[in-house]
Amino acid sequence: MIHHISPARLTIERAGEIIDKGMKLALSAESEELIERCRRFLDEKIASCDRPIYGITTGFGSLCNISIGEDDLTRLQENLVKSHACGCGEPVDPEIVKIMLLTKIESLAFGNSGVQLCTVQRLVDFFNNDILPVVYRQGSLGASGDLAPLANMCLPLIGLGQVRYKGEIRPSAEVLAEMGWAPVRLKSKEGLALLNGTQFMSSHAVWAILKARKLSALADKIGALSLDCFDGRIEPFGDEVNAVRPHPGQLQTARAVRHWLEGSELIRQPKKHVQDPYSFRCMPQVHGAVKDALDYTGRVIETEINSPTDNPTIFPEEDIIVSAGNFHGEPIALPMDYLAIAMTELSSISERRIYKLISGTRGLPSFLVANPGVNSGFMIPQYAAASVVNQSKGLCWPTSCDSIPSSQGQEDHVSMGGNSATKLCNIVLNTERVLAIELFNAAQALDLRRPLKTSPALEEWHSEYRRHVPFIVNDEVMSPLIEKSVEFLREHADL
């Protein structure tokens, strides 16, 4: 299957489909023409213009007042890539690196960046052959874009740096030689076009949103099972009470919970209690707010991945080259910090439901085992969930609130969006673990409610889960079972 790069809008869902299905990329004729037209315009402008053009015939950052001779323009761009490759820390997940390649190709293909067609085509070659540059999680200030990680990503274009290929990390020069490819000889502006941009931030966001959307839906399903096993009430999920406060996510959550509990024997039982704890009856309000945060963040990120975000921006038809700030990560740093808070709340309310399930109330045994005392049962999985939630809460401090000036003060306000992006991914993974622990608990509670049954849909899901994770009679080592629960959610997230 082939995805054709064109000016048509790339959705987050389509990006996920391209990665999941192992699709290949090809530049459309329209994109090729846009790239070549912009490059021709830039070459002509450099030849005819007698004034400095930032980043094209000058140095970078605070060195913008130093003019560069024509003979040194290629060396200037290659030096830029080498000197800016300052990424550090852990390597970025290969799946996210592949999204970075996709979004960088998309950004350059709008024809506002002045790159050579052969440069973009080589990025396409890397993508199609799963030659993934080694990029590191730390080093971006989120303005001027993601300089350090994008430099590491683009080093292999000129035969430097490392790539992950066929399961091994190797020097890029070796792999280029193996493929019969010569290193790209960068022309004026190209290094800056490759390194400026927000693809490190936005690709982490794409990955996080795709995963968070699945977790948001799973939270409704797992929460519905927990509600049923806790002998909860269905009334707070009715359309009437939620329609009078019609936040879209609230209505969506209430309807999802009702859907999952349709036909349940447990939910139809007469209730002795008049209301449930907030972690159960406020699922529409809390899960719903997370959905609304996801929708907002998704719209912002889709705008970002459909934009050229390097600098200067070139407009051949208008005969304009503008040095501005479209590389600045603030428009996406703020929403990523917002989504990090939202996903932490999703894990926080899940942990509270876990706590209630093991509390020894409403007819469930303490810690969800028949013989507590000799058995600790599900006591410590709740500890683990609480620890994970605490870590996420600590990560919620918005890095977009901070700015540390760089480049001798020329770049005096930065977004820190790179850190917003990586910690968002950490929080999403933490939320997945907590929801897996909730499912672990809820499945145990359901078996303790027998012979009563939950809904047919949840019974089927529970039966599938039991093929991977057993009912706990006496204490067992829990870590592998929690990990199997995480794997189950990943394999059964297509609700």
Side-chain angles (χ1 to χ4, degrees), residues 120-373:
V120 184
Q121 185 57 55
R122 182 53 46 79
L123 291 173
V124 172
D125 293 337
F126 283 171
F127 184 97
N128 288 344
N129 289 277
D130 282 322
I131 298 171
L132 304 180
V134 177
V135 182
Y136 301 95
R137 285 170 59 91
Q138 293 178 314
S140 172
L141 297 181
S144 299
D146 295 310
L147 292 173
L150 289 177
N152 281 105
M153 187 185 84
C154 293
L155 277 175
L157 288 172
I158 59 175
L160 300 175
Q162 295 179 307
V163 295
R164 190 185 303 270
Y165 182 52
K166 294 182 178 179
E168 294 183 306
I169 293 178
R170 298 171 56 189
S172 66
E174 288 183 9
V175 177
L176 291 181
E178 193 174 299
M179 301 297 291
W181 299 338
V184 172
R185 183 171 172 80
L186 299 178
K187 297 181 71 173
S188 57
K189 170 63 164 74
E190 287 201 280
L192 200 56
L194 292 167
L195 272 55
N196 264 188
T198 60
Q199 286 75 41
F200 176 84
M201 291 179 277
S202 57
S203 295
H204 279 79
V206 167
W207 182 92
I209 289 168
L210 286 167
K211 196 167 188 70
R213 285 174 177 171
K214 293 177 180 178
L215 294 177
S216 173
L218 282 167
D220 294 345
K221 191 172 186 178
I222 296 166
L225 181 59
S226 294
L227 175 75
D228 218 14
C229 296
F230 193 64
D231 194 26
R233 304 187 69 102
I234 198 64
E235 292 88 348
F237 301 89
D239 253 3
E240 298 81 5
V241 71
N242 289 287
V244 296
R245 193 193 191 194
H247 294 293
Q250 179 172 334
L251 284 165
Q252 186 180 345
T253 301
R255 289 166 183 168
V257 171
R258 293 205 315 274
H259 162 74
W260 289 122
L261 294 179
E262 189 173 343
S264 167
E265 295 175 4
L266 285 165
I267 207 69
R268 292 198 303 266
Q269 282 193 116
K271 309 299 178 186
K272 296 179 181 178
H273 42 276
V274 297
Q275 64 174 213
D276 295 320
Y278 287 177
S279 56
F280 292 95
R281 64 179 156 116
C282 295
M283 276 193 278
Q285 292 75 22
V286 179
H287 290 202
V290 173
K291 288 180 177 64
D292 293 340
L294 260 170
D295 286 347
Y296 167 67
T297 306
R299 289 195 300 272
V300 173
I301 297 302
E302 277 196 2
T303 297
E304 191 73 7
I305 64 175
N306 287 281
S307 306
T309 53
D310 60 293
N311 183 61
T313 309
I314 302 168
F315 301 91
E317 291 185 354
E318 292 82 3
D319 190 20
I320 295 173
I321 300 176
V322 183
S323 179
N326 280 341
F327 50 69
H328 204 292
E330 198 77 7
I332 59 175
L334 291 170
M336 285 191 292
D337 282 338
Y338 175 31
L339 184 55
I341 294 168
M343 293 306 293
T344 298
E345 281 297 281
L346 198 63
S347 68
S348 179
I349 195 170
S350 173
E351 184 279 326
R352 289 292 80 198
R353 292 192 294 266
I354 294 168
Y355 182 85
K356 288 296 182 182
L357 288 172
I358 65 171
S359 64
T361 58
R362 295 196 178 179
L364 290 172
S366 292
F367 305 114
L368 298 178
V369 284
N371 189 16

Side-chain angles (χ1 to χ4, degrees), residues 33-52:
E33 173 55 28
L34 289 170
I35 293 166
E36 290 187 310
R37 182 179 64 179
C38 189
R39 185 66 226 181
R40 286 194 302 269
F41 168 79
L42 184 58
D43 286 340
E44 292 166 3
K45 179 62 70 173
I46 292 171
S48 63
C49 189
D50 57 0
R51 60 180 176 79

